[in-house]
């Protein structure tokens, strides 16, 4: 075995050049990883790079292959496996997505490999390919880096709403297309000798066109799915608004009926009070007045703020909290008129409803919800917090992640609200409390009116 520093250096360059395509296996799913998982993944990934570099150096130095060019070419089909398995182990629920990405990696690697060989043969027609193995590695790396950001964006956008906008059946079918193409491409690679390079250029070019069309069709189809998803989310928000409004109307009707009942018995109440006064029963009269006051208080709906829409929404959800015996602390300071009252009421409804759902998972003695808002200058500050002891997973945007089917729409509504009104949001879990901070610039009113 002849080991030298040249082989060691070339191998390190080779292994590092392969990393961009290897990272395509995990980067599209990075938003689904926790901070701790990301840290462990980086450590494992770096260790794999070191191990692969040393292992490939040893194998190439053993001269068991006819040339270094063939050795690196064949080992390249094996080096990607450890990173694939590592990425898969961290995001197993996206198994179909990993196979999908791996197939595209094989396709583009085969195309780049053929183009690289053809370019070098045109540049050095008198040389044999095995003598140009280092040039092949460098040119392959350059072309890979050029196409890497395009593929990363494609895969990231494709799997951004993977859990909500796709079905297992869809991905089982669509993944077969690039996998079958990849198998065919690997078969052609076996025929990719120096004499066959130029003959394979046209098939590779046609394959590239097919892949681009496949990518475009997938993105187009998913764009329609995402638009339908947005329509569904908006319909869901509208339905919740209607349900909230219906509950508020029902509560108003019940309040009116209670008031009507008191009004019908007003003569009896007055006669009873006059009788107590005439009897000089001071304590009895005071008790009667207090009882009447309590009845009148029960006829009124609570007013948490001057803004009608937001007050109606909070009234409904706070009443639900009372039914569930969940204590609520509310300090709402909002302007009576806000151009985005409707959207803000939806966001607050979603946050309070999430707090209600989370509170029901807590022991009865460890339940509490607090909602506070305050206007400071040109900014509205909103804080919604609830007791919650279980760990919460956050995505790369700092919003909580749920893997329960049908949930998570409220957080997407909050994200859209922030984008629309240039608001900022910060979620945190600390000391047994889950907190959501929201800052909305009042300048959003002007921009909202301009729309």
């Amino acid at each position: 075995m002849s080991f030298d520093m040249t082989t060691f250096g070339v191998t390190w360059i080779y292994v590092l050049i392969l990393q961009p395509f290897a990272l395509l296996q995990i980067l599209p799913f990075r938003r689904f990883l926790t901070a701790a998982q990301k840290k462990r993944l980086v450590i494992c990934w770096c260790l794999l790079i070191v191990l692969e570099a040393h292992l490939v150096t040893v194998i190439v130095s053993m001269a068991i292959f006819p040339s270094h060019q063939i050795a690196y070419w064949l080992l390249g089909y094996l080096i990607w496996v450890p990173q694939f398995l590592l990425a898969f182990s961290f995001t197993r629920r996206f198994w179909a997505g990993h196979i999908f990405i791996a197939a595209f990696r094989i396709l583009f690697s085969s195309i780049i490999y053929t183009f690289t060989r053809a370019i070098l043969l045109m540049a050095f027609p008198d040389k044999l390919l095995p003598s140009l193995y280092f040039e092949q590695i460098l040119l392959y790396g350059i072309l890979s880096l050029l196409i890497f950001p395009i593929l990363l964006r494609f895969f990231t956008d494709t799997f951004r709403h993977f859990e909500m906008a796709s079905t297992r059946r869809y991905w089982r079918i669509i993944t077969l297309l690039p996998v079958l193409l990849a198998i065919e491409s690997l078969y052609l690679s076996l025929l990719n000798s120096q004499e066959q390079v130029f003959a394979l250029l046209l098939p590779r070019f046609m394959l590239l066109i097919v892949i681009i069309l496949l990518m475009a069709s997938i993105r187009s189809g998913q764009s329609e799915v995402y638009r339908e998803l947005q329509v569904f989310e908006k319909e869901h928000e509208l339905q919740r608004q209607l349900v909230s409004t219906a509950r508020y109307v029902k509560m108003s009707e019940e309040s009116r009926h209670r008031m009507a009942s008191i009004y019908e018995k007003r003569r009896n109440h007055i006669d009873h009070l006059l009788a107590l006064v005439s009897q000089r029963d001071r304590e009895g009269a005071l008790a009667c007045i207090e009882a009447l006051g309590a009845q009148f208080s029960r006829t009124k709906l609570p007013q948490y703020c001057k803004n009608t829409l937001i007050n109606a929404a909070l009234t409904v959800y706070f009443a639900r909290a009372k039914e569930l015996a969940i204590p609520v602390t509310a300090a709402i300071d909002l302007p009576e008129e806000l151009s985005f009252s409707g959207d803000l009421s939806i966001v607050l409804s979603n946050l309070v409803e999430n707090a209600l759902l989370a509170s029901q998972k807590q022991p009865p003695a460890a339940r509490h919800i607090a909602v506070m808002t305050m206007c400071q200058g040109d900014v509205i500050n909103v804080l919604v917090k609830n007791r919650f002891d279980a760990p919460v997973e956050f995505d790369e945007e700092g919003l909580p992640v749920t893997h329960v089917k049908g949930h998570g729409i409220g957080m997407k509504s909050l994200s859209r609200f922030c984008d629309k009104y240039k608001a900022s949001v910060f979620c945190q879990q600390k000391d047994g409390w889950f907190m959501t901070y929201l800052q909305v610039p009042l300048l959003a009113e002007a921009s909202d009116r301009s729309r």
Side-chain angles (χ1 to χ4, degrees):
M1 181 176 69
S2 59
F3 175 83
D4 57 71
M5 292 306 297
T6 301
T7 302
F8 183 73
V10 171
T11 301
W12 263 100
I13 294 173
Y14 176 67
V15 171
L16 292 176
I17 278 175
L18 294 179
Q19 295 313 303
F21 267 26
L23 287 170
L24 289 174
Q25 288 293 157
I26 194 62
L27 289 181
F29 307 106
R30 61 190 181 278
R31 66 189 301 267
F32 302 103
L33 298 174
T34 63
Q37 286 178 315
K38 290 178 181 177
K39 185 176 180 180
R40 291 199 305 272
L41 179 64
V42 170
I43 294 173
C44 294
W45 201 281
C46 292
L47 289 175
L48 274 180
I49 292 175
V50 174
L51 291 173
E52 287 175 348
H54 283 80
L55 183 61
V56 171
T57 300
V58 171
I59 295 175
V60 172
S61 300
M62 292 173 65
I64 59 178
F65 297 100
S67 66
H68 283 186
Q69 183 256 345
I70 295 177
Y72 286 120
W73 175 53
L74 293 176
L75 291 174
Y77 287 101
L78 300 176
I79 289 177
W80 67 274
V81 175
Q83 275 90 350
F84 173 85
L85 295 176
L86 179 62
F88 180 80
S89 67
F90 275 84
T91 51
R92 283 189 294 271
R93 65 180 182 276
F94 302 113
W95 63 269
H98 283 298
I99 296 175
F100 181 83
I101 293 173
F104 269 94
R105 285 177 55 195
I106 294 173
L107 289 171
F108 277 101
S109 294
S110 301
I111 292 171
I112 293 173
Y113 182 69
T114 300
F115 285 178
T116 298
R117 292 162 68 93
I119 292 171
L120 290 175
L121 285 177
M122 287 187 287
F124 306 98
D126 298 329
K127 290 190 175 183
L128 295 176
L129 283 174
S131 65
L132 299 171
Y133 74 93
F134 184 65
E135 288 81 357
Q136 288 184 61
I137 291 174
L138 292 180
L139 187 55
Y140 178 91
I142 293 171
L143 295 177
S144 298
L145 287 174
L146 288 175
I147 201 172
F148 170 74
I150 299 173
L151 292 178
L152 178 59
R153 181 175 179 180
F154 169 73
F155 291 132
T156 301
D157 291 342
T158 299
F159 299 108
R160 186 179 302 276
H161 304 286
F162 183 88
E163 292 186 309
M164 294 186 62
S166 65
T167 62
R168 292 182 180 179
R169 183 180 179 184
Y170 168 80
W171 282 104
R172 285 172 181 170
I173 296 173
I174 201 67
T175 301
L176 287 176
L177 296 178
V179 167
L180 293 174
L181 288 173
I183 294 172
E184 186 269 347
S185 180
L186 287 174
Y187 175 75
L188 286 179
S189 296
L190 299 176
L191 307 176
N192 202 358
S193 63
Q194 182 162 337
E195 296 77 15
Q196 300 285 342
V197 169
F198 293 106
L200 286 174
L201 273 180
L202 181 59
R204 293 299 195 195
F205 183 73
M206 297 300 294
L207 177 62
L208 179 61
I209 295 176
V210 170
I211 294 172
I212 293 173
L213 291 175
L214 177 61
M215 292 169 66
S217 64
I218 291 174
R219 289 298 301 130
S220 176
Q222 285 213 316
S223 295
E224 292 184 9
V225 173
Y226 295 158
R227 284 195 292 270
E228 292 179 2
L229 180 62
Q230 289 179 348
V231 171
F232 168 77
E233 290 173 355
K234 290 179 180 178
E235 289 179 349
H236 179 75
E237 291 174 357
L238 179 59
Q239 183 181 13
R240 291 178 63 174
Q241 274 190 306
L242 292 174
V243 171
S244 178
T245 302
R247 289 176 179 172
Y248 187 76
V249 169
K250 182 180 179 181
M251 292 172 66
S252 300
E253 284 291 320
E254 292 173 351
S255 174
R256 189 180 63 82
H257 286 313
R258 287 194 295 269
M259 188 65 188
S261 176
I262 294 175
Y263 184 76
E264 289 175 359
K265 299 176 182 177
R266 67 189 185 283
R267 188 69 247 175
N268 294 336
H269 292 309
I270 294 173
D271 290 343
H272 179 60
L273 183 59
L274 289 174
L276 291 172
V277 171
S278 64
Q279 296 172 9
R280 300 181 182 277
D281 186 353
R282 185 171 179 274
E283 293 182 359
L286 289 175
C288 180
I289 293 172
E290 289 178 0
L292 286 173
Q295 291 185 43
F296 278 113
S297 296
R298 286 195 295 271
T299 64
K300 295 190 303 180
L301 291 178
Q303 183 173 3
Y304 298 101
C305 69
K306 297 177 182 179
N307 190 287
T308 305
L309 278 175
I310 296 174
N311 182 72
L314 293 177
T315 299
V316 171
Y317 284 98
F318 288 168
R320 177 59 178 159
K322 186 177 181 180
E323 293 173 2
L324 296 171
I326 300 174
V328 173
T329 300
I332 315 297
D333 175 23
L334 289 173
E336 187 173 354
E337 296 293 335
L338 280 174
S339 60
F340 52 88
S341 295
D343 289 339
L344 184 57
S345 68
I346 292 174
V347 168
L348 283 172
S349 297
N350 288 329
L351 292 176
V352 176
E353 183 178 36
N354 289 343
L356 285 172
L357 293 173
S359 296
Q360 293 178 60
K361 300 176 183 178
Q362 290 282 106
R367 297 179 178 181
H368 197 93
I369 296 174
V371 180
M372 289 167 274
T373 70
M374 180 183 297
C375 292
Q376 291 181 318
D378 294 331
V379 176
I380 294 178
N381 297 286
V382 178
L383 169 62
V384 179
K385 65 178 186 176
N386 59 274
R387 294 286 302 274
F388 194 66
D389 298 322
V392 178
E393 181 181 346
F394 295 92
D395 62 18
E396 62 181 5
E397 297 176 356
L399 297 178
V401 176
T402 178
H403 304 298
V404 180
K405 188 175 181 180
H407 289 240
I409 295 178
M411 285 298 125
K412 292 188 176 296
S413 173
L414 175 59
S415 181
R416 283 200 307 273
F417 178 88
C418 291
D419 292 339
K420 184 176 181 180
Y421 297 108
K422 310 300 181 186
S424 59
V425 62
F426 173 69
C427 297
Q428 182 185 30
Q429 188 178 31
K430 185 178 180 181
D431 299 330
W433 287 87
F434 178 81
M435 294 166 278
T436 302
Y437 301 90
L438 182 65
Q439 283 192 326
V440 190
L442 285 174
L443 296 175
E445 288 202 87
S447 60
D448 188 53
R449 291 194 189 99
S450 65
R451 278 189 286 269

